[in-house]
Amino acid sequence: MLDSLSEKLEGIFKKLKGKGLLKEQDIDLALKEVRVALLEADVNFRVVKDFIQGLREKAVGKEVLDSLTPGQQVIKIVHAELCTLLGGADNRIKLSPNPPTLIMMVGLQGSGKTTTSAKLARMYKREGRRPLLAAADLQRPAAIDQLITLGGQLDVPVYYSRETKSPAAVSQEALKKAKLEGRDIVILDTAGRLHIDESLMQELKDIKAKTPPNETLLVADAMTGQEAVNIAKNFNEAIGLDGVVLTKMDGDARGGAALSIKAVTGRPIKLIGMGEKLDMLEQFYPERLASRILGMGDVLSLIEKAQQDYDQKEAEKLSRKIMSEGFTFEDLRDQLKKIRGMGSIESLLSMIPGMGAKLRGVKVDEKEFVKIEAIINSMTLRERANHNLLNGSRRKRIADGSGTSIAEVNRVIKQYLEMKKMLKMFKGGKGLRLPKIMPF
Amino acid sequence: MGFLDRLKGGLEKTRKAFVGRIDAVFSGQKPLNEETLEELEEILISSDIGVSTAVEIVEYLKSKEGEIRKAGSPREFLKAHMKDLLGRPQPLVIFGEKPFVILTLGVNGTGKTTTIGKLASRFVSEGHSVIIAAGDTFRAAAIEQLEIWAGRSGAQIVKQKAGGDPAAVAFDAVEAAKSRGTDVVIIDTAGRLHTKSPLMEELKKIKRVVGRAMPDAPQETLLVVDATTGQNALNQAKLFNEAVGVTGIALTKLDGTSKGGIVFTVKRELDIPIKLIGIGEGVDDLRDFNPSEFIEALFEP
């Protein structure tokens, strides 16, 4: 499904080879495809309707730039428009000039409030601030314990009370404790609630009345469907939101909910959650999400993802090692493991523009990676370091040991040698870039 | 209160928005024209059913135009067709040799632990003995959360320390059930995104190891899907199914305004039945999924 939008648009505009102006008829056809792409990305249908309307006016009569095909031109307009809609507002979290700053986390059940609270605490702690976590989720069994555990992992104190039934009281006491102990940020984790649950929404209003937060953040799941509009609207109308944290963005959801939320509340997306670990909270970049919603691939995200998983120091170590001792099978296996840890190979590849179309119908067999690992695991340490040892009988043994065939072992060795050759080209250059090691 | 009433109560918000708008489309003498069909398509899309299934349903109504004209209203045709899409009811029933092992899985935050708690209560109240395996060893306090649910429901729990091997926990639970003659084992697993291959490998391992403790186990592999989820639920179902073979879906959080329309598409494209629905936070708010009752509750005024 990915990349099909650009492909479909190219199809529509194929007959329109030359340059000139975008014609109304062609635009309408193209916008139909844009509509489907947005709906498939979970953008709310009403938001889509308005968006397409606005686009149409912008696109008709636009000159097609020399360097672009008409299809690309339309995508460019759509993309620019999406970026404007998604961004535009200041997306920093405001800290109070008179600490402590109170940040209240709200959202539906299971959106990731507790984890995000801990991630925020970690972020501020690293900035040299002194955060305090406060457990105001008195509904979910063991929610307090979860926050205590996370606080313990981060070495951030947690305020909680097992006696009280009032989240507003928790907030008050947490602020008192923060003042007393010189904590400058209080992050209040509240219970998950349905946006239509009036008594629980009242509870949030009570917290707000007793302890007005400096920032109220809606924690929203990136996988949310059409209802994102109503969820955001209800929370915003009930308690007023300052921003949104979009969680579970490390999956393959296109994240159209973000556009719905922004369109209906006007509140900026401030941060995104990129994984279960507590360091996986990132800045939000409108351009990247725009590409993702359109299913157009996102090189920037791919590069960052690779860099993130690929620790800089480790890369330098590997680089030095390769310079001095050469690239071994062991290194190959480590890299494969890293790549597999980043997500499915297909989702990684689809982030590379142009790759999507080429890979249509090509199923990347992740079992290949398992096989390569098994083959390398079946080598002795000496063999892994020196491929010249790999004669016929050793290859046979490796094939037997890894449950593969000699042909497969040969193929891995060949791929390894090609990579090794490629890596030699980096020698003498500046550092090592992530080598391309796709086994196909 | 009868079951249908409870279901209707739980689905009230869902129903109001959905049926109200469908009725508005077909109200009065509005013919089945481009405009009404487009409106219908939008209503269907607003339920998260997805573009392709919405288009399919609209095309179906178009093809029946003559009959619909004769009958007067397209409503019954729409109901019948949507019912067909969901197939026949396939409730979660325990059968065969003891223990009956249920492996639950899903992405983060869909309500696996809560669903397990409710499911355990249900089995216990039916007179079955239940062991819950605390297989979410990753999330902070997941084990504590499950212990509270076990206490509430009267189920036993098998656990290890946080950070332990989930496959080992699952294995121990099945072994314990075998020696104690327990009827049902429900295995909790950590929430995981379906795109993370190491975590999917872990899931495969849990399944393999459970199969080693008992040849036919797990007899049920239940994917827990949040009704608030949009089109991504299809990817979830696809990839979890490819990894471990999903035998049924529990659709949670249907008491909100979300309609969970994506299950129509999941059923249509992957033929995975919906077995359970969660319509509230109470212990007995987990229900067998019955397509015709579900559609009735959705359409009846």
Side-chain angles (χ1 to χ4, degrees):
Chain A
M1 207 156 6
L2 288 165
D3 248 321
S4 62
L5 177 63
S6 24
E7 203 168 71
K8 277 180 193 160
L9 291 184
E10 292 303 334
I12 291 171
F13 290 112
K14 213 168 13 194
K15 50 188 188 299
L16 212 147
K17 273 269 168 56
K19 289 132 210 161
L21 301 180
L22 289 174
K23 290 194 194 70
E24 219 168 311
Q25 238 178 308
D26 301 311
I27 298 269
D28 281 343
L29 269 175
L31 289 183
K32 255 193 190 149
E33 299 299 342
V34 174
R35 171 181 175 267
V36 172
L38 293 175
L39 288 172
E40 278 174 352
D42 289 324
V43 182
N44 180 271
F45 73 100
R46 285 210 183 86
V47 176
V48 172
K49 224 174 187 175
D50 293 348
F51 181 73
I52 296 284
Q53 189 62 35
L55 264 184
R56 196 171 176 281
E57 284 154 22
K58 288 221 163 85
V60 173
K62 260 252 162 84
E63 212 170 319
V64 178
L65 297 174
D66 284 353
S67 53
L68 299 178
T69 66
Q72 287 169 334
Q73 178 77 38
V74 170
I75 291 208
K76 196 171 166 251
I77 298 169
V78 175
H79 189 261
E81 201 57 22
L82 273 180
C83 290
T84 315
L85 260 178
L86 285 168
D90 180 7
N91 67 359
R92 280 169 307 183
I93 294 177
K94 309 179 294 284
L95 296 182
S96 166
N98 312 308
T101 298
L102 177 62
I103 304 176
M104 178 162 80
M105 315 294 285
V106 301
L108 299 187
Q109 290 95 340
S111 56
K113 285 173 298 302
T114 308
T115 306
T116 306
S117 299
K119 285 178 176 176
L120 263 181
R122 181 186 179 274
M123 183 181 93
Y124 285 125
K125 189 171 183 235
R126 282 175 68 94
E127 286 176 10
R129 298 181 189 277
R130 293 167 48 78
L132 171 72
L133 285 160
D137 179 354
L138 309 176
Q139 302 277 332
R140 183 161 54 93
I144 294 176
D145 301 294
Q146 187 182 354
L147 203 63
I148 293 172
T149 308
L150 293 173
Q153 285 171 16
L154 296 171
D155 197 17
V156 168
V158 179
Y159 173 78
Y160 65 94
S161 157
R162 297 201 193 266
E163 282 77 47
T164 183
K165 295 266 176 290
S166 158
V170 171
S171 185
Q172 279 174 322
E173 290 302 315
L175 282 174
K176 252 186 230 164
K177 182 180 157 88
K179 274 179 204 148
L180 214 68
E181 296 176 7
R183 298 265 149 200
D184 52 3
I185 295 172
V186 175
I187 302 164
L188 191 70
D189 178 29
T190 66
R193 65 201 75 222
L194 284 169
H195 52 294
I196 49 165
D197 187 327
E198 275 160 28
S199 63
L200 284 177
M201 291 307 269
Q202 185 57 45
E203 191 184 278
L204 289 181
K205 289 181 197 166
D206 291 344
I207 299 177
K208 206 185 159 180
K210 291 217 171 91
T211 56
N214 302 87
E215 281 271 339
T216 302
L217 297 177
L218 175 71
V219 181
D221 186 328
M223 296 180 277
T224 311
Q226 295 285 317
E227 279 298 298
V229 160
N230 293 326
I231 296 163
K233 204 167 141 231
N234 284 22
F235 272 103
N236 195 33
E237 280 168 6
I239 50 163
L241 300 172
D242 296 296
V244 178
V245 182
L246 204 60
T247 60
K248 306 181 204 173
M249 279 289 283
D250 47 331
D252 59 354
R254 300 264 288 275
L259 185 62
S260 304
I261 294 172
K262 180 77 198 302
V264 77
T265 63
R267 297 293 179 262
I269 295 140
K270 297 201 166 177
L271 293 162
I272 57 173
M274 286 297 288
E276 296 178 294
K277 303 215 177 80
L278 297 181
D279 58 345
M280 293 173 165
L281 188 68
E282 295 182 5
Q283 292 303 314
F284 170 71
Y285 297 102
E287 316 78 48
R288 294 185 196 171
L289 186 61
S291 306
R292 182 159 164 172
I293 288 175
L294 290 173
M296 283 177 12
D298 183 348
V299 193
L300 278 175
S301 283
L302 176 64
I303 291 169
E304 258 199 15
K305 214 170 177 185
Q307 274 174 351
Q308 209 182 59
D309 277 43
Y310 207 87
D311 189 276
Q312 197 56 41
K313 268 189 221 139
E314 236 178 285
E316 274 164 26
K317 213 168 82 193
L318 178 66
S319 164
R320 266 199 306 277
K321 184 176 170 300
I322 290 171
M323 299 297 175
S324 57
E325 299 161 39
F327 180 67
T328 70
F329 277 106
E330 203 109 3
D331 301 325
L332 172 59
R333 191 188 53 183
D334 288 350
Q335 291 220 0
L336 282 178
K337 273 200 183 136
K338 290 232 164 59
I339 289 202
R340 292 181 64 216
M342 283 185 226
S344 88
I345 305 296
E346 271 153 288
S347 77
L348 274 172
L349 288 178
S350 70
M351 289 189 193
I352 306 169
M355 268 307 230
K358 273 180 212 141
L359 283 170
R360 190 167 319 287
V362 180
K363 182 106 178 66
V364 180
D365 192 358
E366 307 224 357
K367 281 191 195 123
E368 273 302 309
F369 285 76
V370 181
K371 260 188 204 162
I372 296 174
E373 269 187 57
I375 286 171
I376 297 174
N377 285 339
S378 296
M379 294 178 183
T380 65
L381 289 177
R382 280 182 57 216
E383 286 166 352
R384 286 181 211 170
N386 182 4
H387 69 275
N388 291 322
L389 292 173
L390 294 167
N391 58 22
S393 69
R394 283 176 187 263
R395 289 182 192 207
K396 168 94 173 55
R397 192 205 75 238
I398 291 165
D400 290 344
S402 57
T404 57
S405 64
I406 294 182
E408 280 168 317
V409 174
N410 286 340
R411 200 165 63 228
V412 170
I413 294 171
K414 200 174 146 224
Q415 282 165 346
Y416 160 77
L417 289 174
E418 276 166 14
M419 257 175 258
K420 202 174 155 80
K421 209 163 79 192
M422 208 177 73
L423 281 166
K424 269 196 185 140
M425 300 190 306
F426 287 108
K427 272 200 179 182
K430 277 182 282 172
L432 175 82
R433 261 161 285 168
L434 188 72
K436 197 175 162 229
I437 49 167
M438 303 296 179
F440 36 78
Chain B
M1 202 162 42
F3 168 71
L4 213 58
D5 292 326
R6 279 200 62 95
L7 183 62
K8 262 195 239 168
L11 288 172
E12 192 178 13
K13 304 280 179 191
T14 303
R15 190 169 50 83
K16 265 188 192 153
F18 191 71
V19 178
R21 295 183 51 214
I22 285 191
D23 275 350
V25 172
F26 295 134
S27 68
Q29 299 302 311
K30 270 195 190 171
L32 205 58
N33 58 25
E34 279 301 315
E35 199 187 324
T36 49
L37 286 173
E38 200 172 297
E39 251 177 273
L40 177 64
E41 188 190 295
E42 277 183 358
I43 295 169
L44 291 169
I45 286 172
S46 74
S47 78
D48 287 318
I49 205 165
V51 180
S52 64
T53 307
V55 168
E56 192 270 342
I57 292 173
V58 167
E59 287 302 319
Y60 171 83
L61 286 183
K62 265 193 209 163
S63 76
K64 296 278 173 197
E65 207 183 335
E67 288 168 62
I68 291 172
R69 218 176 282 280
K70 243 181 266 165
S73 163
R75 217 177 119 156
E76 291 306 314
F77 286 85
L78 181 64
K79 260 167 78 173
H81 186 59
M82 289 180 74
K83 218 179 280 180
D84 283 348
L85 281 178
L86 290 174
R88 60 188 173 78
Q90 294 184 51
L92 197 158
V93 278
I94 55 176
F95 57 87
E97 202 185 322
K98 284 200 277 190
F100 185 83
V101 181
I102 302 168
L103 177 64
T104 54
L105 29 103
V107 301
N108 317 63
T110 55
K112 280 178 297 302
T113 309
T114 308
T115 302
I116 290 168
K118 293 181 189 171
L119 201 55
S121 298
R122 176 170 132 178
F123 286 132
V124 170
S125 71
E126 286 170 359
H128 298 293
S129 51
V130 178
I131 290 182
I132 300 175
D136 181 355
T137 56
F138 178 81
R139 182 167 59 89
I143 300 174
E144 286 84 342
Q145 187 181 349
L146 205 59
E147 276 183 307
I148 294 171
W149 273 109
R152 278 184 197 170
S153 63
Q156 306 166 64
I157 188 165
V158 168
K159 56 172 186 173
Q160 283 183 5
K161 280 206 193 82
D165 177 11
V169 178
F171 184 85
D172 288 351
V174 178
E175 286 296 333
K178 273 162 54 186
S179 67
R180 297 177 202 167
T182 309
D183 300 323
V184 183
V185 176
I186 311 175
I187 303 167
D188 189 17
T189 60
R192 66 199 71 222
L193 289 177
H194 47 290
T195 49
K196 310 233 155 159
S197 48
L199 293 179
M200 294 307 269
E201 289 301 323
E202 183 188 86
L203 212 51
K204 288 185 200 167
K205 183 180 160 197
I206 296 174
K207 190 177 172 172
R208 249 189 343 258
V209 168
V210 166
R212 231 171 269 155
M214 185 179 173
D216 295 330
Q219 292 90 328
E220 182 80 52
T221 303
L222 197 63
L223 178 68
V224 181
V225 175
D226 182 338
T228 326
T229 311
Q231 301 310 298
N232 195 249
L234 184 62
N235 287 11
Q236 292 171 22
K238 211 179 267 174
L239 293 183
F240 275 109
N241 191 37
E242 274 170 22
V244 289
V246 174
T247 56
I249 285 175
L251 187 64
T252 61
K253 308 187 198 175
L254 261 176
D255 47 331
T257 49
S258 288
K259 292 139 204 92
I262 190 65
V263 294
F264 285 90
T265 306
V266 170
K267 177 75 174 91
R268 189 165 84 103
E269 294 203 5
L270 305 172
D271 200 28
I272 300 173
I274 300 100
K275 295 201 166 170
L276 295 164
I277 53 174
I279 51 171
E281 303 227 299
V283 171
D284 23 279
D285 286 333
L286 184 74
R287 297 275 153 173
D288 281 331
F289 178 74
N290 180 321
S292 42
E293 282 173 355
F294 183 72
I295 301 275
E296 285 306 327
L298 213 56
F299 275 81
E300 283 314 304

